[in-house]
Amino acid sequence: MALTKVDPVHGIDLADKEYFHVDLTTDQQPTDDTAAVVDFGGKGTVIYDTKSNFDSSNDAYLLGSSDGVYLISFNIGIATDSITSESIIHTRGGIEVATDGSTYVALKGSGKQLRDSASDNGGSVVLSGSFIYKATNATTKIRINTHTDSVSANALICATVSQLTQSTTALTDARATWLTVVRIA
């Protein structure tokens, strides 16, 4: 008899399905002008991991098939540590892949240059993307990496949208930084 997993919210049998979702649930403050892996292992909450493939020590997800096709989506909310001080010059972030399980290289991403000729800076940025990825071996891992340069304050990788604006109205608790992986074939 096969062991089945049932989605507790929707009651769907997940025995042959692969999907993963993790939210950043505590703000992360990396060093200014330095690349940083989003700390989902220490500051995040895994919502779904039907194959139990999350590598929390490396903040990475191991794709569960050497020949699977995956839909990968990410969102990264970045803001200055005090939203009233707009000091972000530029930022970039995206997905890194390690086909050997440990040597990560940039795969897909996004960026924003906020400073103009008047030396104006931004207070917050959201970087996001979705793409289809074909796995080629059984050791492929993915993770999010980001890099932000600011004038005087360190930037935050934001857990909620409340850090992205000065407004305290609707959606303040909505997640701003997350990673989703779904095997589609």
Side-chain angles (χ1 to χ4, degrees), residues 26-152:
T26 302
D27 294 338
Q28 178 181 343
Q29 188 167 32
T31 303
D32 188 45
D33 204 15
T34 303
V37 173
V38 175
D39 184 11
F40 287 121
K43 296 181 176 293
T45 299
V46 173
I47 307 301
Y48 296 109
D49 187 357
T50 61
K51 298 296 182 184
S52 299
N53 283 348
F54 182 54
D55 176 358
S56 61
S57 62
N58 290 301
D59 303 302
Y61 180 73
L62 172 67
L63 301 179
S65 170
S66 62
D67 64 351
V69 177
Y70 293 86
L71 177 62
I72 299 170
S73 301
F74 67 94
N75 202 73
I76 312 164
I78 299 167
T80 53
D81 57 358
S82 173
I83 194 62
T84 58
S85 66
E86 297 176 337
S87 65
I88 296 174
I89 300 168
H90 61 79
T91 188
R92 58 189 170 270
I95 299 293
E96 293 182 314
V97 62
T99 57
D100 67 357
S102 62
T103 308
Y104 289 90
V105 296
L107 181 64
K108 304 284 185 184
S110 184
K112 180 79 174 178
Q113 179 76 30
L114 294 142
R115 179 175 274 182
D116 65 14
S117 60
S119 296
D120 293 326
N121 303 303
S124 66
V125 175
V126 175
L127 305 172
S128 62
S130 290
F131 60 97
I132 294 173
Y133 180 78
K134 171 87 167 84
T136 57
N137 60 53
T139 57
T140 301
K141 291 183 181 180
I142 62 165
R143 67 183 186 185
I144 295 178
N145 196 321
T146 185
H147 182 166
T148 301
D149 186 15
S150 62
V151 174
S152 60

